Amino acid sequence: MELQFIPVEEFYFALTLAVRTLEELDQPGLVEQVRSRLLAECGKPSTVAPGKQNTFNYVFKVQNIDHSPAPGLIVSISDWQNKLRLSSDYGWMLDEQRKPIHTEKFDQRAHFTQQLRSHLQKWLEISFS
């Protein structure tokens, strides 16, 4: 798995229409640890959402993962109410009317989540308990 950061200058809302939460991690200090590591690795977040419930959102294009028939794959790493939220459009795609629909990969979202967690732990040098 390879994650290609999407900076705020290239971020478009349409990229995330099919993104759905994979999981939320509620671990003391994890949000701050991930925020710090992502800031060091990528710079400022992909979207700016300063607030009490959500303060950062880093968005990535995912390479080297089969996500057919969807044309692209997006991962979002953000905070939500002091929890780390991992989201993706894996198993989803937009139909002709740009409405999200399931793909045949939908039932494999849990496996994809584990792959993503493993990748993030290695890349960001953090631990998910």
Side-chain angles (χ1 to χ4, degrees):
M1 178 181 296
E2 181 183 332
L3 299 180
Q4 179 185 359
F5 179 61
I6 300 174
V8 69
E9 296 83 12
E10 297 174 24
F11 178 81
Y12 295 101
F13 181 74
L15 291 174
T16 62
L17 288 175
V19 170
R20 301 288 189 262
T21 301
L22 293 167
E23 70 177 335
E24 289 184 344
L25 302 164
D26 189 7
Q27 180 179 325
L30 182 62
V31 167
E32 202 49 53
Q33 189 178 15
V34 170
R35 176 193 339 258
S36 175
R37 293 293 299 136
L38 287 171
L39 184 60
E41 291 290 328
C42 304
K44 63 184 177 178
S46 301
T47 62
V48 180
K52 292 182 180 180
Q53 294 182 333
N54 174 241
T55 61
F56 71 89
N57 185 10
Y58 285 84
V59 180
F60 301 87
K61 291 180 185 175
V62 181
Q63 309 293 322
N64 305 322
I65 293 285
D66 178 19
H67 55 277
S68 58
L73 182 57
I74 299 291
V75 161
S76 167
I77 304 168
S78 61
D79 66 327
W80 182 253
Q81 299 180 339
N82 297 317
K83 296 176 187 166
L84 184 68
R85 180 178 280 181
L86 303 178
S87 304
S88 179
D89 56 356
Y90 187 89
W92 291 88
M93 64 183 279
L94 301 178
D95 68 9
E96 298 79 33
Q97 288 79 37
R98 300 194 52 77
K99 294 186 182 194
I101 58 171
H102 291 183
T103 71
E104 64 243 21
K105 301 276 193 233
F106 184 79
D107 293 338
Q108 299 172 24
R109 282 177 63 86
H111 177 70
F112 175 74
T113 302
Q114 290 305 313
Q115 287 180 291
L116 177 61
R117 283 179 69 153
S118 176
H119 179 77
L120 292 175
Q121 287 182 104
K122 290 175 191 167
W123 176 48
L124 298 176
E125 299 173 347
I126 56 172
S127 177
F128 299 131
S129 344

